[in-house]
Amino acid sequence: MGFFPFFMDITGKNGVIVGGGKVAARKVEKLLLFEPKLTVIAPQIEECIRTQEKLLRKDTAAALCFIEREFRMEDLSGADFVIAATDDEMLNSRISDYCKAKQIPVNVVDDREKCSFFFPALVKEGALTIGISTDGKCPVAASWVRKEISHTLPSRIGDVIDLIGQIRPRVMKLDVPESMRKDILERMFLYCMEKDGDVTLEELANREKIYEQNPDWYKRQ
């Protein structure tokens, strides 16, 4: 049946990662891009995770803290999502059962049946995020597809999306039919792509004024 690929805002959300090794480190690295507040719990937390704290930007809402001891089930109190990344299958199973009973989204690394959500292979370029999942059946395929997509994305696609995001509120206020507003945004996006992203906000604003002041000119394009 498959899993529906929700895209959720996890800025400031409380995430608990149980496990302190390289697998947990990879999850931390990817999650911090989306600015949650992460707590890593393990008897021993490897340096590959601790270094992630040093990479946090000063202007980010993300946070990373460590609890270096044996995990306790009460550590999951208040968690918005949980990742079990230990090498103890029984512990992972207990965490999964607890989270499912409490309706806390849980991912158990390398155990499809114990997950209520999957951790996708990610492609991220600025505001563009592409998540790739195989329902946990073949992570290596998801990784392969991620690499293929990464190699084919146009350069500066993230910059173009950010630029369109800045001009979009102005376009949506134009006194023209909704279908025309959508067409204007599409034309602006394609124009930016043709210019390889080398376009300024002022340049787009000038084009927006032309559309607004002379819709007949727009229809002839």
Side-chain angles (χ1 to χ4, degrees):
M1 181 170 57
F3 282 59
F4 188 83
F6 280 107
F7 280 78
M8 300 179 65
D9 182 7
I10 61 171
T11 303
K13 297 296 185 181
N14 294 315
V16 175
I17 299 179
V18 186
K22 293 179 180 178
V23 173
R26 290 196 294 270
K27 306 303 182 186
V28 169
E29 180 182 10
K30 293 179 179 179
L31 283 167
L32 286 178
L33 295 172
F34 301 90
E35 304 191 11
K37 298 182 185 302
L38 298 180
T39 299
V40 179
I41 305 171
Q44 182 176 354
I45 297 174
E46 295 184 15
E47 187 63 22
C48 57
I49 296 182
R50 293 188 180 277
T51 55
Q52 298 297 320
E53 186 178 30
K54 302 173 184 177
L55 300 176
L56 288 176
R57 304 189 320 271
K58 292 182 179 180
D59 62 342
T60 183
L64 180 60
C65 67
F66 309 108
I67 300 177
E68 197 161 25
R69 60 159 168 75
E70 293 290 343
F71 166 77
R72 303 166 188 161
M73 203 59 67
E74 55 263 33
D75 292 329
L76 302 182
S77 177
D80 293 306
F81 62 91
V82 173
I83 295 176
T86 81
D87 55 5
D88 184 335
E89 291 187 10
M90 290 185 63
L91 176 58
N92 288 345
S93 182
R94 285 173 50 218
I95 292 171
S96 174
D97 291 343
Y98 176 91
C99 289
K100 288 180 179 180
K102 297 291 185 179
Q103 296 186 327
I104 302 171
V106 61
N107 175 270
V108 178
V109 175
D110 293 332
D111 197 329
R112 179 178 182 274
E113 301 303 322
K114 292 184 175 65
C115 296
S116 64
F117 78 92
F118 293 132
F119 204 103
L122 292 173
V123 178
K124 185 164 176 59
E125 295 289 340
L128 176 66
T129 301
I130 302 171
I132 303 141
S133 173
T134 57
D135 288 352
K137 295 177 180 178
C138 189
V140 67
S143 179
W144 182 87
V145 172
R146 176 186 61 79
K147 292 175 183 177
E148 290 295 304
I149 291 175
S150 296
H151 293 155
T152 58
L153 281 178
S155 63
R156 300 188 65 181
I157 180 69
D159 294 338
V160 169
I161 291 172
D162 287 337
L163 193 60
I164 296 298
Q166 293 178 62
I167 197 69
R168 185 176 185 274
R170 295 180 53 165
V171 174
M172 297 308 290
K173 292 179 180 179
L174 293 178
D175 187 20
V176 297
E178 180 182 359
S179 59
M180 187 175 290
R181 291 196 293 269
K182 291 180 178 180
D183 285 344
I184 290 171
L185 287 170
E186 180 178 359
R187 287 170 183 268
M188 284 184 170
F189 173 75
L190 294 175
Y191 174 77
C192 290
M193 296 305 296
E194 290 171 2
K195 297 289 186 178
D196 293 325
D198 189 18
V199 179
T200 65
L201 182 60
E202 182 180 5
E203 189 174 349
L204 284 186
N206 288 334
R207 295 177 73 85
E208 176 258 326
K209 288 179 182 178
I210 293 173
Y211 297 144
E212 181 180 29
Q213 295 170 3
N214 192 351
D216 289 337
W217 180 90
Y218 161 76
K219 292 175 183 178
R220 293 196 299 269
Q221 302 309 302

